[in-house]
Amino acid sequence: MITNEEKKRLVFKAVIIILATLLPLSALRVLLIHGNLTFMLFIKEMLFSIVFGFIVALILYMTTKKEIKQINAKARNYAFRDALTGLYNRHYLNDFLTKFKRLHKRESIFAVAFIDIDKFKEINDTLGHEAGDCILRCLALKLKSLTRSTDILCRYGGEEFVIIYNDISKKEMFEKMEQIRESIQNTSFKCGHTNITISIGLSFGKKEDDINEVLQEADKALYMAKNAGRNCVKIFLK
């Protein structure tokens, strides 16, 4: 994936290369056709070459526009999606965090939830990595079904997931996380016929807060949940 700034630089570079190529070619064309190089003939030939080149480039763009969009969408998907679960990955999260402040509404509260599968290493060791991968995929689907389309759900890495909520109260957020925790606890995954539990760390922020710091606070709250015996929700208190 390339950014808009990188696209602009590539277009500018392409224009410079084309103009640098047209200059000597136009001069050579004037010499071959007219036998001598005059300023007016050179300017006319240069303008003709530029217009002709623009028309060719426009036709090329119009005929390949759809394919370019499809290729760009595939590239974005590969860059920002986790191959195992299909959720957004950490690269997407990092990209989102850089844009979050201008996207977030001024007065609303946002929340970050850090979710971790309890004793996941033991699951891998006893049931195997195939069962572990199955659990990750099933959990991802379950989390997706329990979140809103406006929420940002990512696989952070390993058995950790992150959810970012906009416009939600602390009470509503805590109740939602308890609902998710209980739902996971009561779900029997068909992955080695096992049940799992999750621990969740929560932190809240406002427009002026640095979301990266809120993310770190949610991670600390997750460790609090682990130390409290797992299978619970803990909130980072500022």
Side-chain angles (χ1 to χ4, degrees):
M1 278 296 298
I2 59 173
T3 64
N4 288 330
E5 285 299 318
E6 289 171 329
K7 288 178 184 177
K8 289 177 183 178
R9 285 199 295 269
L10 284 173
V11 170
F12 179 74
K13 188 176 181 180
V15 169
I16 295 299
I17 291 172
I18 291 170
L19 289 175
T21 305
L22 287 176
L23 281 170
L25 286 178
S26 298
L28 180 61
R29 183 178 167 84
V30 170
L31 285 172
L32 290 174
I33 296 175
H34 301 283
N36 65 324
L37 182 64
T38 65
F39 180 74
M40 287 307 297
L41 285 173
F42 173 73
I43 292 299
K44 287 180 181 179
E45 181 62 33
M46 186 67 182
L47 288 173
F48 171 79
S49 298
I50 290 173
V51 171
F52 181 74
F54 175 77
I55 292 171
V56 171
L58 185 61
I59 293 171
L60 182 64
Y61 172 74
M62 293 304 294
T63 55
T64 59
K65 185 178 180 180
K66 186 177 179 180
E67 287 80 1
I68 290 171
K69 281 187 176 180
Q70 289 174 343
I71 291 169
N72 196 44
K74 285 182 181 179
R76 181 180 177 84
N77 192 56
Y78 285 131
F80 287 155
R81 290 283 180 181
D82 176 56
L84 179 64
T85 63
L87 299 180
Y88 288 126
N89 59 19
R90 195 165 179 172
H91 294 299
Y92 176 86
L93 181 63
N94 290 336
D95 182 70
F96 175 80
L97 294 180
T98 61
K99 303 172 183 174
F100 180 80
K101 195 152 190 174
R102 60 184 174 83
L103 294 174
H104 182 61
K105 293 179 181 178
R106 183 171 298 277
E107 300 302 329
S108 61
I109 292 175
F110 68 90
V112 177
F114 231 118
I115 300 171
D116 185 82
I117 301 174
D118 296 328
K119 300 182 179 179
F120 186 69
K121 186 178 183 303
E122 290 183 16
I123 295 172
N124 274 333
D125 291 342
T126 55
L127 299 177
H129 289 281
E130 187 174 342
D133 288 348
C134 177
I135 286 171
L136 289 170
R137 286 193 294 267
C138 291
L139 177 59
L141 287 172
K142 189 71 175 177
L143 291 174
K144 196 170 183 179
S145 72
L146 294 169
T147 51
R148 306 170 300 183
S149 59
T150 53
D151 302 328
I152 303 299
L153 170 61
C154 304
R155 183 186 177 196
Y156 193 72
E159 68 274 23
E160 292 183 326
F161 297 82
V162 168
I163 311 177
I164 299 174
Y165 293 86
N166 273 309
D167 305 318
I168 191 167
S169 68
K170 293 182 179 181
K171 182 177 182 293
E172 184 185 356
M173 182 64 178
F174 185 79
E175 289 174 352
K176 184 179 284 288
M177 289 300 101
E178 278 292 348
Q179 176 199 356
I180 289 176
R181 184 193 63 76
E182 289 177 6
S183 178
I184 299 301
Q185 177 183 268
N186 297 326
T187 298
S188 181
F189 294 116
K190 296 178 181 178
C191 309
H193 304 285
T194 187
N195 287 68
I196 64 169
T197 60
I198 57 174
S199 297
I200 304 176
L202 286 179
S203 186
F204 298 89
K206 295 180 181 178
K207 172 74 175 181
E208 62 272 12
D209 294 330
D210 184 348
I211 191 172
N212 290 286
E213 291 181 6
V214 178
L215 187 69
Q216 291 173 9
E217 290 167 358
D219 190 29
K220 291 176 182 176
L222 174 62
Y223 278 97
M224 290 164 54
K226 292 288 187 182
N227 292 332
R230 300 183 177 88
N231 190 25
C232 61
V233 181
K234 291 295 180 182
I235 300 175
F236 183 85
L237 300 175
K238 299 183 181 182

